[in-house]
Each structure stands twice: as structure tokens, then as C-alpha cells.
Amino acid sequence: MTLNIGVIGTGAIGREHIRRCSQVLQHSRVVALNDINRSNCEQIIHDLGIQAEIYDNAHDLINAPEVQAILVTSWGPTHEEFVLAAIKAGKAVFCEKPLAVTAQGCMNIVEAEIAAGKKLVQVGFMRPYDAGYRALKAVINNGDIGEPLMLHCAHRNPEVGDSYTTDMAITDTLIHELDVLRWLLKDDYVSAQVIYPRSTSKAASHLKDPQIVLLETAKGVRIDVEIFVNCTYGYDIQCEVVGESGIARLPEPMSVQTRSAAKLSTRILTDWKKRFIDAYDVELQDFINNVLSGEMTGPSAWDGFAAAVAADACVAAQKSGDIVPVTMPVKPAFYN
Ligand code: NAI
Ligand code: NAD
Ligand code: ISE
């Protein structure tokens, strides 16, 4: 059986996901594309040699009879509209993070999905599919380091474009930690605070970079996340869990160690596309398999909502400098 997929948004990650659905994964075929910039679609059809219809309107793609499932990889502010339209059409939808740019937008999706009576949404949070994070979670679950007490994390990009704003450090970047740490600890956030260290001279003048986000969970775990998106040296994701009886660290990506010119060294990745390349493959194969089998088990609209509630609090904390409460409603039984 093959799943016919339509893709909205054929930019950086859209192109990557079309490549993997066409060349890497099983049981999937990309049959329809849409982008506000039509030439992006034409270029991809040419480069990847796929046969896909280009739609000039995203809603026509969503409602096209040959499209069985939708990938939303357009920019964040468009996600809510397209996911709601997919639910209305009764079609499964994989939506890149963020599910919507506000918690209210995510809640609109949660309510529409519950009203439809069927899970249709998977959010593109790929880190729970990463072998390194899964190994870290297994160490915690085995009790190897006792109960987690503190986490020290970092999310560093070599550079960002001028259009990247201070709040995007939360809504675009930290959102991955907000999701994966909640999953890792099986815990929810209760408060957030943001601290600005001395700014790097490498950032645009309008951007506060780096930032430190301090989170507290319901179980009392304290988390610090450094977000540094103009660190220059690489794309570097760190996560250290301090437990009652030991410490566990997220494994580094595999890299050959060299001894040369009086140095012992390993390379650091610079491109986010490569850091979680296997996790993207696994998450999308999971989506395809689940749509075909009729049971969605990946990161849900509720997980998208939970991350957005925490993100809203972090953005408020950026602006006020205060410790801001994170208040999560009770999870509907639909998502248990
Ligand atoms: P991009 O800017 O390279 O691509 C976005 C594409 O969407 C562009 O081709 C643009 O023309 C198109 N687009 C914008 N508005 C549209 C509309 N109304 N209708 C149809 N097409 C529209 O951005 P990128 O880096 O590919 O990011 C896209 C999404 O994927 C974002 O939500 C981003 O947060 C997410 N993302 C997720 C990553 C992950 O690790 N899970 C990594 C990178 C991006
Ligand atoms: P689990 O029951 O241990 O999950 C723990 C908890 O995390 C659950 O309460 C679940 O609701 C929640 N959760 C799941 N995804 C989340 C997310 N993205 N953000 C926040 N909370 C989340 O189950 P698990 O086997 O650890 O799987 C967790 C996720 O990883 C699932 O989405 C699963 O489909 C996916 N996954 C599974 C495999 C596999 O081989 N089974 C491999 C990779 C990823
Ligand atoms: C990008 O949108 C991503 O999602 C990457 O995974 C993240 O590391 C980067 O900071 C974001 O800009």
C-alpha cells in the first residue's frame, strides 16, 4: 500500500521531507505540491525527478481527491489554517513545529480534532525519535542515575538570518527543548524565566543573543537552557541530566576522532539538517505507517499545545523579566 502525500511549503525542510518521502522511506509517494513561490515546486520536481501536480492554492491541494495525507512545511504563522483545513477534509496531517504560533491557535486545532472524533495530527517534533534522546530516556527510566534533579541544556546554531527576532529564540528554537524535555522527564512545566547575558557582537542589533531560559517542572526539576543562535562554531545540541546518584549526557553525533598536527579532535556539525537526519526519517516513516494502519501514535496536537503553552510563558518572561507561571489545563481523555 502506498500513501499519496501533498506538501504545502517547499522551502528548506519541505524539500528535505519530499526527498525522504520519495527516495528514502517506504510506502509513500509525493503527488502534490503547493508553495506561494511556485518556482520552488518546479525546482524540486526537476531536482528530485518526481511526478507531482503543482497546486496554486493550498486548500485545493488539501481537498484534491488524489491526496490522502498532508505535510505542512510552510512557515509557522500559516500552520493553523492548513491543519484546520486538513482536519475538516478528514485527512491526516503532519505539521512541522510549531503546530501554531500561539497556545490558543494550538487549542483551536485540539478542539477541531476532538470534534472530528479521530486523531489526524502529528507534530514534527523529531527529537523523541532520535536514538540519542531515546538512550538518555532509557538510562533515566532504568534508574541508573536516580531521580532527575537538574538539567543543563544548550541549543546553539552557528548563525541566523536578519529576520530572526528575539522571540523566535523561544517559538522557533527552544520549542524543541520544550517538547523533548517534557517527554524525557514525563513531567510538565510550572514556571519560566528568561535571563539575558552579555550579547554577542555577531548577532543583528535587534536580536538578544544568547539567552538563558530557566524552567521549573511540577516535580521540582530545575532546567537551564542556553539558546545561542550565533555561536559561530557549529550546530550543537547539549543535554545533561543530573540525578540523585549520577549524571547522564546526550551522546554526541558519531564522528571520527583524529590525532594530527599535535591535536586530538572530532568534527562538530554545522547544519541542523544533518544533526537529526535519522530522527526525521523515523518520525515520517512512523507517520506514514500510522496513517496506513489507522492509528496515530506520534507527537500529538496536545503535545503541540503543551509546548506552545510553555512557549507563551517564556515569551512573556522575555518581555517582563519575571518568573512567569505555566498553567496547563487537564489533558482530555481523547489524548490518553
Ligand atoms: P523556508 O522559509 O525555507 O520554507 C518555507 C516555505 O513555505 C517557503 O518556500 C515559502 O515560500 C512557503 N510558504 C510560506 N507561506 C506559504 C503559504 N501561505 N502557502 C504556501 N507556502 C508558503 O523555511 P523552513 O526552514 O523550511 O521552515 C519551514 C517550517 O519548518 C517552519 O515551521 C520551521 O519552524 C520548521 N522547521 C522545522 C525543523 C525541525 O527540525 N523540525 C527544521 C527547520 C524548519
Ligand atoms: P512512552 O509511553 O514512553 O511516552 C512517554 C510519554 O510521552 C507519553 O505520556 C506520551 O504521551 C508522551 N509523549 C509522546 N511523544 C511526546 C512528545 N513529542 N512530546 C511530549 N510528550 C510526548 O512512549 P515512547 O515509546 O517513549 O514513545 C514516545 C514517542 O516517540 C511516541 O511519539 C512514539 O511514537 C515515538 N517513537 C517510537 C519509537 C519506537 O520505536 N517505538 C521510536 C521512535 C519514536
Ligand atoms: C529551526 O527552525 C529548527 O527547527 C532547528 O531544529 C533549530 O535548531 C533551529 O534553531 C530552528 O531555527
Side-chain angles (χ1 to χ4, degrees), residues 125 128-129 134 137 179 182-183 186 282 286 297-299 303 331:
F125 287 134
Y129 291 92
R134 295 191 75 76
K137 187 170 168 81
D179 173 66
R182 177 177 161 267
W183 166 81
K186 277 199 166 192
V282 181
D286 197 39
T297 61
D303 295 320
K331 181 152 88 169

Side-chain angles (χ1 to χ4, degrees), residues 302-319:
W302 186 259
D303 295 320
F305 170 71
V309 167
D312 279 3
C314 292
V315 171
Q318 277 185 325
K319 290 177 182 151

